[in-house]
Structure formats: C-alpha cells, structure tokens
Amino acid sequence: MGMTFAQRVLAHKAGLDSVQVGQIVEIEPDVCLSHDNTAAIAKTFAQIGVEKVRNPERFVVILDHTVPAATEKYALGHKEIREFVHKQGIEYFYDAGVGICHQVLPEKGFALPGRLILGSDSHTTTYGAFGAFSAGIGRSEMAVLYATSKIWLKTPASFKIIVSGRLEEPVTSKDLILKIIGDIGADGALYKSVEYTGESIESMSVASRMVLCNMAIEMGAKNGVCLPDDKTFAFLNGRAAEEYTPVFPDADAEYEQILKFDASTLAPQVAKPHTVDNVVPVDEAAGTRIDQALLGTCTNGRLEDLRLAAEILDGKTLAQGVRMLVLPASQEVLVQALAEGLIDVFVKAGAMLLNPGCGPCLGAHQGVLAPGEVCISTANRNFKGRMGSADAEIYLASPATVAASAITGVITDPRNAFQGVYDD
C-alpha cells in the first residue's frame, strides 16, 4: 500500500523508507515559526539550561499579534523578543508592521513544497497551500526546538476531500471551508492530515487555497494541504528562499475517509456564534443586525479579498451605525492595495484602515466588542469572548458577505450586491 502526503513527508524527514499511520518519528523541521509569544518561549528555553539556540537559521520570528504595542506589558514583551533574536543570532526577524506571520512567511519564500514547518500558532496549517506539511505546536515544544532542533511527531491518518465544480463569484473558498467544517464538525478531522483535491481546488488561486489550509485546524486537523502545481511554482518564482522538492501522495495511498463536495452549487455560508461549525447558508442568518464588520486577518486579508470587497463597496457608504475595519495581511498587500486604489474605495465608504497585523481577531487592542454588539468577520474563529466581551456575538463569513452586510447594516447575501441591488 502506498503512502499519503503526510506519510511521505514524515518518512523523508525521519530518514525512513516508509512510516505507518500512528508511528512516532523524530524529525528536524525545516522552518520553525513564532511570533509575539516568543518572549514566553524564550523564558522556557532559558529554563532548559542551553545557552545558544541550535540552528538559528531555521527560526523565523514575526511580531504581528499586538502591533503597535497597546500597553507597557506588550511593549516589554516586544523589547525582550528583539533582544533575544539579536543575542541568539536569529537573522529572520520581522518587526511590527511587516504583517501577519501566515502571510509574511510565504511572501518571504519560507513556505515551500515538501518542507516541514512547525509554528507556535495553531494556524500554521496555512502553509499547506504551498505543498508543505505545516502544523501548530505548543510553546514548550517550540522551546525544545530552540534547544535541540528536534521533535517527535505522530504520523496522522489522512482524509481526502474532493471538491468538484467551480465556485461562482462572489462565492469564495471561505464559503467552501465553512461548509466543510459545518458538515464535518469542529473535531471531525481531529489529528488528521487533510488533502484538498479536485477540479475546484485546481482552479483556485494560491490565496484561495491558503484559506482552506488556514482553517483546517478549525475541524481539528493536524495539517491541511493543497498539492503544488504551476500556480504554486509561479507564486514562488523569485521568492523561494532555497531550492525545493515537491512531495505527492502515492496513487494507491490509503485514506481514512474520502469526502466529496460540489462547489458549483454552493451558496454563501455563515458561521453563527459561538462555534466555527455552527454553519448555515447566508439566507438563514440574513437580516441579523451588525455593529461591526471586519475585513482582513490571516484568513482573508490578501489582495484578492480586498478586491472583492472593494467591488461591492465602490461608490457606496456604510450603513448608519456600522463600523468597518479593513486589515491588510501584510505591508506588501497594503502597498499593492494602495496602488490599485482599493484603500481609497474603503476610506470613501467610511471604513477604518488598520495597520497590517492580527489586530481585532484576537481581541487584544483593536476593534474590541462591547456587550451585546454583533460583528461579521472574515477571521477564522468566533468563540465567545474572542473579540472582547463574552456577551458579544461574532459571525464568520467571506469578504463578499462582510462587504455587502456593511452596506445594509444586516447580514446580507452578497450575490444581491453583484446584481446591482445596492446601486444608487
């Protein structure tokens, strides 16, 4: 019997001919990522008793969660991180303002096909969009990697998700992943490797594939992957930090489950409070009043997301009483959006532009919700208290649905916006 993508990568990194599902292997990751939590990791590293980071060239540190620093406590943490990376000779350090780690890592050429990437953030699964095996780990595990460059991983069983047909604009890959999570459940793929394949995946942009892999963790998956193709290689041309070798599953690989979806019949989806798998077609949530609309984050803050939202918002104004926050995923995305006039559209509509970073998504300092308020968001989580008050509500949706809802003041089917319903 052949091996799945996960088996192939882990076998190669462990120096073995093959591995079985459930087998524990010792590996050395190609890339280790951490962000604002590096300060806490550094303290744990110091307790191990090792003075120098082993193989500092494998580590990437990006400040993105609470930038600029909102309090003295956050500022101190950032200062400690800057001192730590300098002392340890960690060259790949990206300070506040460069962008969200899950956007910056691919932009800087670290997310490569066949690589094994581990990060102290659950949405490290994002890099599967480039054909990497990428997964989140805990802070203590990252501290051990600082000290040894080695870690144990259990080889996951695999799901294959086959998506036929093509998405009809303004339906997006965000709607697709919400549908998948709603059907499978928040723990339906617990510690599985999820391979996305089929006509719909092949037709998607790399940015759209990043959404699928980013939210693989929301169904409990260890990692998600879209197998690399010419679109992947085109994105990496001129970016790749080093040469890479793509990895593919065997034709006779064995999957625990094979699930099928049809993208051509998919309607816009919404995840209602307070779980990501509480998913319904947008019509079942339509008319729900909103106070805030969030466009951006590591899930949907890329250029294609901003373009889609701007197409709906162009020439319109926000509904009275609605706050809209626009959060480009990186400095690179922001520069491109400025050049295309997208930021002009958002500002003229009445939206507030935020600096690249995680911002409102984690409820630490920007866009915090008050009790009783409702937010529709392109982020990846809507847990109680995620963006501030535990008495607030968060609905997850695509950039198109968020933009259309910001115009009307209630959750709205974005297909109406494309039919000119809101034209002046």
Side-chain angles (χ1 to χ4, degrees):
M1 185 63 67
M3 291 190 287
T4 63
F5 168 82
Q7 288 174 285
R8 282 231 158 269
V9 173
L10 293 181
H12 174 69
K13 297 302 178 183
L16 302 172
D17 292 332
S18 65
V19 295
Q20 303 300 314
V21 170
Q23 182 175 343
I24 295 174
V25 295
E26 184 179 72
I27 53 90
E28 296 188 10
D30 297 295
V31 179
C32 304
L33 165 77
S34 59
H35 44 64
D36 299 41
N37 62 21
T38 303
I41 295 168
K43 290 181 174 63
T44 303
F45 168 75
Q47 294 171 359
I48 295 174
V50 178
E51 292 188 3
K52 297 295 292 183
V53 168
R54 184 177 179 85
N55 300 319
E57 70 279 0
R58 294 185 182 180
F59 293 86
V60 181
V61 177
I62 302 171
L63 296 187
D64 63 355
H65 269 53
T66 310
V67 296
T71 65
E72 182 180 346
K73 179 180 178 181
Y74 287 123
L76 178 59
H78 292 176
K79 180 183 178 182
E80 291 174 349
I81 292 168
R82 295 181 184 112
E83 293 172 347
F84 176 76
V85 297
H86 176 72
K87 176 182 178 181
Q88 294 296 336
I90 296 175
E91 177 183 354
Y92 300 122
F93 171 62
Y94 300 94
D95 212 325
V98 180
I100 306 172
C101 60
H102 304 312
Q103 180 69 17
V104 173
L105 206 77
E107 287 179 351
K108 301 302 183 183
F110 296 102
L112 301 175
R115 275 194 159 185
L116 198 156
I117 304 173
L118 298 179
S120 53
D121 185 280
S122 58
H123 294 104
T124 301
T125 53
T126 304
Y127 317 127
F130 301 89
F133 182 104
S134 57
I137 59 173
R139 296 181 183 185
S140 58
E141 292 172 300
M142 183 59 68
V144 171
L145 281 173
Y146 275 132
T148 68
S149 285
K150 296 181 180 181
I151 195 171
W152 288 341
L153 286 179
K154 184 173 74 171
T155 306
S158 295
F159 283 6
K160 177 185 279 190
I161 296 181
I162 304 172
V163 188
S164 61
R166 296 193 178 206
L167 297 167
E168 295 292 333
E169 195 175 62
V171 180
T172 71
S173 63
K174 179 61 165 291
D175 299 299
L176 174 60
I177 192 60
L178 288 176
K179 171 65 174 173
I180 292 171
I181 294 170
D183 284 6
I184 293 177
D187 59 354
L190 194 60
Y191 207 89
K192 310 301 180 187
S193 174
V194 175
E195 296 180 15
Y196 301 103
T197 185
E199 176 191 0
S200 181
I201 309 304
E202 294 169 3
S203 68
M204 283 182 188
S205 65
V206 170
S208 291
R209 296 172 187 175
M210 289 174 72
V211 178
L212 301 180
C213 293
N214 176 278
M215 293 191 67
I217 186 63
E218 306 308 335
M219 52 181 149
K222 183 64 175 175
N223 73 291
V225 64
C226 298
L227 300 177
D229 59 11
D230 289 343
K231 293 179 181 179
T232 316
F233 307 142
F235 177 91
L236 294 173
N237 185 31
R239 293 183 187 268
E242 60 185 48
E243 294 184 0
Y244 56 86
T245 301
V247 173
F248 299 92
D250 295 329
D252 59 345
E254 184 175 354
Y255 295 90
E256 186 172 299
Q257 285 192 47
I258 297 178
L259 306 168
K260 297 182 179 181
F261 294 84
D262 183 357
S264 65
T265 62
L266 187 65
Q269 306 287 302
V270 173
K272 299 166 61 178
H274 293 281
T275 59
V276 183
D277 58 356
N278 187 16
V279 177
V280 297
V282 67
D283 288 348
E284 294 186 27
T288 303
R289 176 193 59 81
I290 65 168
D291 299 287
Q292 181 166 290
L294 170 59
L295 171 66
T297 78
C298 67
T299 312
N300 283 116
R302 283 169 278 281
L303 195 62
E304 71 175 29
D305 303 311
L306 304 185
R307 285 172 178 160
L308 181 57
E311 184 175 349
I312 294 173
L313 285 164
D314 193 14
K316 314 296 190 306
T317 57
L318 303 183
Q320 186 174 2
V322 172
R323 312 181 299 271
M324 185 173 187
L325 311 177
V326 178
L327 187 76
S330 70
Q331 188 179 72
E332 179 178 312
V333 171
L334 174 57
V335 169
Q336 292 173 322
L338 283 165
E340 292 187 18
L342 304 180
I343 301 304
D344 189 60
V345 170
F346 296 132
V347 173
K348 286 181 177 178
M352 291 177 277
L353 177 67
L354 304 183
N355 58 282
C358 297
C361 181
L362 68 155
H365 65 134
Q366 293 176 314
V368 174
L369 298 174
E373 289 194 317
V374 177
C375 178
I376 186 165
S377 167
T378 63
N380 43 42
R381 286 183 175 158
N382 61 346
F383 307 149
K384 185 183 286 286
R386 172 74 177 181
M387 291 177 62
S389 173
D391 293 322
E393 294 185 336
I394 305 168
Y395 290 77
L396 303 180
S398 74
T401 302
V402 168
S405 302
I407 296 169
T408 64
V410 296
I411 295 178
T412 299
D413 188 333
R415 293 173 295 187
N416 296 334
F418 269 67
Q419 295 167 5
V421 171
Y422 307 126
D423 288 346
D424 296 329

